Short mmCIF file of all heavy atoms in Angstrom, two decimals:
data_model
loop_
_atom_site.label_atom_id
_atom_site.label_comp_id
_atom_site.label_asym_id
_atom_site.label_seq_id
_atom_site.Cartn_x
_atom_site.Cartn_y
_atom_site.Cartn_z
N ILE C 63 109.06 102.03 89.94
CA ILE C 63 109.65 101.83 91.27
C ILE C 63 108.66 101.18 92.22
O ILE C 63 108.99 100.26 92.98
CB ILE C 63 110.12 103.20 91.85
CG1 ILE C 63 111.20 103.80 90.95
CG2 ILE C 63 110.64 103.02 93.27
CD1 ILE C 63 112.41 102.94 90.72
N ALA C 64 107.39 101.63 92.17
CA ALA C 64 106.37 101.06 93.04
C ALA C 64 106.17 99.57 92.76
O ALA C 64 106.05 98.75 93.68
CB ALA C 64 105.04 101.81 92.86
N GLU C 65 106.18 99.20 91.48
CA GLU C 65 106.02 97.81 91.12
C GLU C 65 107.23 96.96 91.55
O GLU C 65 107.09 95.84 92.08
CB GLU C 65 105.79 97.65 89.62
CG GLU C 65 105.71 96.21 89.12
CD GLU C 65 104.52 95.45 89.70
OE1 GLU C 65 103.55 96.12 90.15
OE2 GLU C 65 104.56 94.20 89.71
N TYR C 66 108.41 97.49 91.38
CA TYR C 66 109.64 96.78 91.78
C TYR C 66 109.66 96.57 93.27
O TYR C 66 110.00 95.48 93.78
CB TYR C 66 110.86 97.50 91.32
CG TYR C 66 111.16 97.39 89.84
CD1 TYR C 66 110.24 96.80 88.97
CD2 TYR C 66 112.33 97.86 89.29
CE1 TYR C 66 110.49 96.70 87.62
CE2 TYR C 66 112.61 97.76 87.95
CZ TYR C 66 111.66 97.18 87.10
OH TYR C 66 111.94 97.06 85.76
N GLN C 67 109.29 97.62 94.03
CA GLN C 67 109.27 97.46 95.48
C GLN C 67 108.17 96.49 95.90
O GLN C 67 108.34 95.71 96.85
CB GLN C 67 109.07 98.83 96.12
CG GLN C 67 110.29 99.73 95.98
CD GLN C 67 110.08 101.13 96.56
OE1 GLN C 67 108.96 101.63 96.64
NE2 GLN C 67 111.16 101.75 97.00
N ARG C 68 107.05 96.48 95.20
CA ARG C 68 105.97 95.52 95.49
C ARG C 68 106.44 94.08 95.29
O ARG C 68 106.05 93.17 96.03
CB ARG C 68 104.76 95.81 94.61
CG ARG C 68 103.49 95.02 94.99
CD ARG C 68 102.39 95.25 93.98
NE ARG C 68 102.66 94.57 92.72
CZ ARG C 68 102.45 93.27 92.51
NH1 ARG C 68 101.97 92.52 93.48
NH2 ARG C 68 102.73 92.74 91.35
N GLN C 69 107.29 93.87 94.29
CA GLN C 69 107.82 92.54 93.99
C GLN C 69 108.86 92.08 94.99
O GLN C 69 109.23 90.93 95.02
CB GLN C 69 108.42 92.51 92.58
CG GLN C 69 107.43 92.72 91.46
CD GLN C 69 106.66 91.46 91.11
OE1 GLN C 69 106.89 90.39 91.71
NE2 GLN C 69 105.76 91.53 90.13
N GLY C 70 109.36 93.02 95.81
CA GLY C 70 110.34 92.65 96.82
C GLY C 70 111.76 93.09 96.48
O GLY C 70 112.70 92.85 97.28
N PHE C 71 111.95 93.79 95.36
CA PHE C 71 113.28 94.26 94.97
C PHE C 71 113.66 95.49 95.81
O PHE C 71 112.78 96.24 96.23
CB PHE C 71 113.34 94.66 93.51
CG PHE C 71 113.01 93.55 92.54
CD1 PHE C 71 111.90 93.64 91.72
CD2 PHE C 71 113.83 92.45 92.45
CE1 PHE C 71 111.60 92.64 90.81
CE2 PHE C 71 113.52 91.43 91.54
CZ PHE C 71 112.41 91.51 90.74
N LEU C 72 114.96 95.69 95.99
CA LEU C 72 115.47 96.98 96.46
C LEU C 72 115.58 97.92 95.29
O LEU C 72 115.70 97.49 94.13
CB LEU C 72 116.86 96.83 97.11
CG LEU C 72 116.93 95.94 98.37
CD1 LEU C 72 118.39 95.72 98.75
CD2 LEU C 72 116.16 96.56 99.52
N THR C 73 115.54 99.24 95.55
CA THR C 73 115.68 100.22 94.48
C THR C 73 116.68 101.30 94.90
O THR C 73 116.83 101.61 96.08
CB THR C 73 114.35 100.89 94.14
OG1 THR C 73 113.81 101.54 95.30
CG2 THR C 73 113.34 99.87 93.63
N ALA C 74 117.35 101.87 93.89
CA ALA C 74 118.35 102.89 94.18
C ALA C 74 118.42 103.94 93.06
O ALA C 74 118.22 103.60 91.89
CB ALA C 74 119.75 102.24 94.31
N ILE C 75 118.70 105.17 93.45
CA ILE C 75 119.04 106.22 92.51
C ILE C 75 120.54 106.22 92.37
O ILE C 75 121.28 106.42 93.36
CB ILE C 75 118.58 107.59 92.98
CG1 ILE C 75 117.06 107.66 93.16
CG2 ILE C 75 118.99 108.68 91.93
CD1 ILE C 75 116.54 108.98 93.69
N ASP C 76 121.04 106.03 91.17
CA ASP C 76 122.49 106.04 90.91
C ASP C 76 122.93 107.44 90.50
O ASP C 76 122.12 108.25 90.02
CB ASP C 76 122.78 105.03 89.77
CG ASP C 76 124.26 104.71 89.65
OD1 ASP C 76 125.03 105.11 90.55
OD2 ASP C 76 124.62 104.04 88.68
N ASP C 77 124.21 107.74 90.72
CA ASP C 77 124.82 109.00 90.27
C ASP C 77 124.06 110.22 90.80
O ASP C 77 123.91 111.23 90.09
CB ASP C 77 124.88 109.07 88.73
CG ASP C 77 125.70 107.94 88.16
OD1 ASP C 77 126.65 107.50 88.82
OD2 ASP C 77 125.39 107.51 87.03
N PHE C 78 123.57 110.15 92.04
CA PHE C 78 122.78 111.26 92.58
C PHE C 78 123.67 112.51 92.67
O PHE C 78 124.76 112.48 93.22
CB PHE C 78 122.26 110.90 93.97
CG PHE C 78 121.25 111.90 94.50
CD1 PHE C 78 119.91 111.82 94.12
CD2 PHE C 78 121.64 112.90 95.38
CE1 PHE C 78 118.99 112.73 94.58
CE2 PHE C 78 120.71 113.81 95.86
CZ PHE C 78 119.38 113.73 95.47
N GLY C 79 123.12 113.60 92.13
CA GLY C 79 123.86 114.85 92.13
C GLY C 79 124.50 115.16 90.81
O GLY C 79 125.11 116.22 90.66
N ALA C 80 124.35 114.24 89.82
CA ALA C 80 125.01 114.47 88.53
C ALA C 80 124.03 114.54 87.37
O ALA C 80 124.42 114.70 86.25
CB ALA C 80 126.03 113.35 88.26
N GLY C 81 122.72 114.46 87.65
CA GLY C 81 121.79 114.30 86.55
C GLY C 81 120.78 115.41 86.44
O GLY C 81 121.01 116.53 86.83
N TYR C 82 119.62 115.04 85.91
CA TYR C 82 118.59 116.01 85.55
C TYR C 82 117.70 116.41 86.70
O TYR C 82 117.23 117.57 86.76
CB TYR C 82 117.73 115.42 84.43
CG TYR C 82 118.44 115.24 83.13
CD1 TYR C 82 118.82 113.98 82.71
CD2 TYR C 82 118.74 116.32 82.33
CE1 TYR C 82 119.49 113.79 81.51
CE2 TYR C 82 119.42 116.15 81.13
CZ TYR C 82 119.79 114.88 80.72
OH TYR C 82 120.44 114.71 79.55
N ALA C 83 117.41 115.52 87.61
CA ALA C 83 116.27 115.76 88.52
C ALA C 83 116.68 116.19 89.91
O ALA C 83 116.02 116.99 90.54
CB ALA C 83 115.41 114.52 88.60
N GLY C 84 117.77 115.64 90.46
CA GLY C 84 118.22 116.03 91.78
C GLY C 84 117.18 115.78 92.86
O GLY C 84 116.51 114.75 92.91
N LEU C 85 117.01 116.76 93.72
CA LEU C 85 116.11 116.62 94.86
C LEU C 85 114.67 116.48 94.43
O LEU C 85 113.88 115.87 95.15
CB LEU C 85 116.29 117.80 95.82
CG LEU C 85 117.64 117.90 96.52
CD1 LEU C 85 117.74 119.17 97.34
CD2 LEU C 85 117.85 116.68 97.42
N ASN C 86 114.29 117.02 93.27
CA ASN C 86 112.93 116.84 92.79
C ASN C 86 112.61 115.38 92.56
O ASN C 86 111.49 114.91 92.84
CB ASN C 86 112.71 117.60 91.49
CG ASN C 86 112.63 119.11 91.72
OD1 ASN C 86 112.24 119.56 92.82
ND2 ASN C 86 112.99 119.88 90.69
N LEU C 87 113.58 114.64 92.08
CA LEU C 87 113.42 113.21 91.86
C LEU C 87 113.23 112.48 93.19
O LEU C 87 112.36 111.63 93.34
CB LEU C 87 114.60 112.63 91.11
CG LEU C 87 114.53 111.17 90.69
CD1 LEU C 87 113.37 110.94 89.76
CD2 LEU C 87 115.79 110.76 90.02
N LEU C 88 114.04 112.85 94.18
CA LEU C 88 113.94 112.23 95.50
C LEU C 88 112.61 112.54 96.15
O LEU C 88 112.07 111.73 96.91
CB LEU C 88 115.09 112.72 96.38
CG LEU C 88 115.33 112.00 97.68
CD1 LEU C 88 115.61 110.51 97.46
CD2 LEU C 88 116.50 112.62 98.45
N ALA C 89 112.04 113.70 95.84
CA ALA C 89 110.77 114.09 96.44
C ALA C 89 109.60 113.30 95.83
O ALA C 89 108.53 113.19 96.44
CB ALA C 89 110.53 115.58 96.23
N SER C 90 109.84 112.72 94.63
CA SER C 90 108.73 112.02 93.94
C SER C 90 108.49 110.64 94.50
O SER C 90 107.38 110.13 94.42
CB SER C 90 109.06 111.92 92.45
OG SER C 90 109.17 113.23 91.90
N PHE C 91 109.52 109.99 94.98
CA PHE C 91 109.38 108.64 95.56
C PHE C 91 110.53 108.41 96.50
O PHE C 91 111.51 109.15 96.52
CB PHE C 91 109.34 107.59 94.47
CG PHE C 91 110.64 107.40 93.74
CD1 PHE C 91 111.56 106.47 94.16
CD2 PHE C 91 110.96 108.20 92.68
CE1 PHE C 91 112.76 106.29 93.53
CE2 PHE C 91 112.17 108.02 92.00
CZ PHE C 91 113.07 107.08 92.44
N THR C 92 110.45 107.34 97.30
CA THR C 92 111.46 107.02 98.28
C THR C 92 112.15 105.69 97.92
O THR C 92 111.59 104.63 98.14
CB THR C 92 110.83 106.91 99.67
OG1 THR C 92 110.14 108.11 99.99
CG2 THR C 92 111.91 106.68 100.73
N PRO C 93 113.34 105.77 97.33
CA PRO C 93 114.07 104.54 97.06
C PRO C 93 114.67 104.00 98.35
O PRO C 93 114.64 104.64 99.40
CB PRO C 93 115.20 105.02 96.11
CG PRO C 93 115.45 106.41 96.58
CD PRO C 93 114.11 106.97 96.98
N ASP C 94 115.23 102.81 98.26
CA ASP C 94 115.92 102.24 99.44
C ASP C 94 117.31 102.82 99.62
O ASP C 94 117.82 102.93 100.73
CB ASP C 94 116.02 100.71 99.28
CG ASP C 94 114.65 100.06 99.19
OD1 ASP C 94 113.97 99.99 100.23
OD2 ASP C 94 114.25 99.67 98.08
N ILE C 95 117.93 103.21 98.50
CA ILE C 95 119.33 103.63 98.50
C ILE C 95 119.51 104.82 97.57
O ILE C 95 118.89 104.90 96.50
CB ILE C 95 120.26 102.49 98.01
CG1 ILE C 95 120.12 101.26 98.95
CG2 ILE C 95 121.72 102.94 97.94
CD1 ILE C 95 120.64 99.99 98.33
N VAL C 96 120.35 105.78 98.00
CA VAL C 96 120.81 106.86 97.13
C VAL C 96 122.32 106.73 96.99
O VAL C 96 123.03 106.63 97.99
CB VAL C 96 120.47 108.22 97.72
CG1 VAL C 96 121.30 109.33 97.09
CG2 VAL C 96 118.97 108.53 97.53
N LYS C 97 122.78 106.67 95.75
CA LYS C 97 124.22 106.56 95.46
C LYS C 97 124.78 107.94 95.15
O LYS C 97 124.40 108.54 94.14
CB LYS C 97 124.50 105.59 94.30
CG LYS C 97 124.11 104.15 94.59
CD LYS C 97 124.48 103.22 93.45
CE LYS C 97 125.97 103.03 93.36
NZ LYS C 97 126.33 101.98 92.37
N ILE C 98 125.66 108.45 96.02
CA ILE C 98 126.26 109.76 95.78
C ILE C 98 127.24 109.67 94.63
O ILE C 98 128.15 108.84 94.63
CB ILE C 98 126.99 110.25 97.05
CG1 ILE C 98 126.05 110.26 98.27
CG2 ILE C 98 127.62 111.62 96.83
CD1 ILE C 98 124.90 111.25 98.16
N ASP C 99 127.09 110.56 93.63
CA ASP C 99 127.94 110.52 92.44
C ASP C 99 129.41 110.74 92.80
O ASP C 99 129.74 111.50 93.69
CB ASP C 99 127.48 111.59 91.48
CG ASP C 99 128.31 111.61 90.19
OD1 ASP C 99 128.17 110.63 89.42
OD2 ASP C 99 129.07 112.57 90.01
N MET C 100 130.29 110.10 92.06
CA MET C 100 131.71 110.18 92.34
C MET C 100 132.26 111.59 92.14
O MET C 100 133.29 111.96 92.69
CB MET C 100 132.48 109.20 91.48
CG MET C 100 132.47 109.47 90.00
SD MET C 100 133.51 108.29 89.09
CE MET C 100 132.66 106.73 89.43
N GLY C 101 131.53 112.41 91.36
CA GLY C 101 131.96 113.81 91.19
C GLY C 101 131.91 114.57 92.52
O GLY C 101 132.69 115.51 92.74
#
């Protein structure tokens, strides 16, 4: 994520709320976008 942001890309967590990491993942780094899972 750090390298992608350094290159100028946007970054996003997809399906937030449906996976393994949840808020712990969000605490590890700051993406540009969080996608709320359709569930």
Side-chain angles (χ1 to χ4, degrees):
I63 299 303
E65 177 62 22
Y66 285 9
Q67 291 178 332
R68 189 186 73 81
Q69 293 279 0
F71 301 116
L72 297 171
T73 59
I75 300 177
D76 194 9
D77 301 328
F78 190 82
Y82 293 105
L85 293 175
N86 287 334
L87 185 60
L88 191 59
S90 299
F91 69 93
T92 304
D94 299 286
I95 300 162
V96 162
K97 295 185 71 173
I98 304 295
D99 181 69
M100 66 177 64

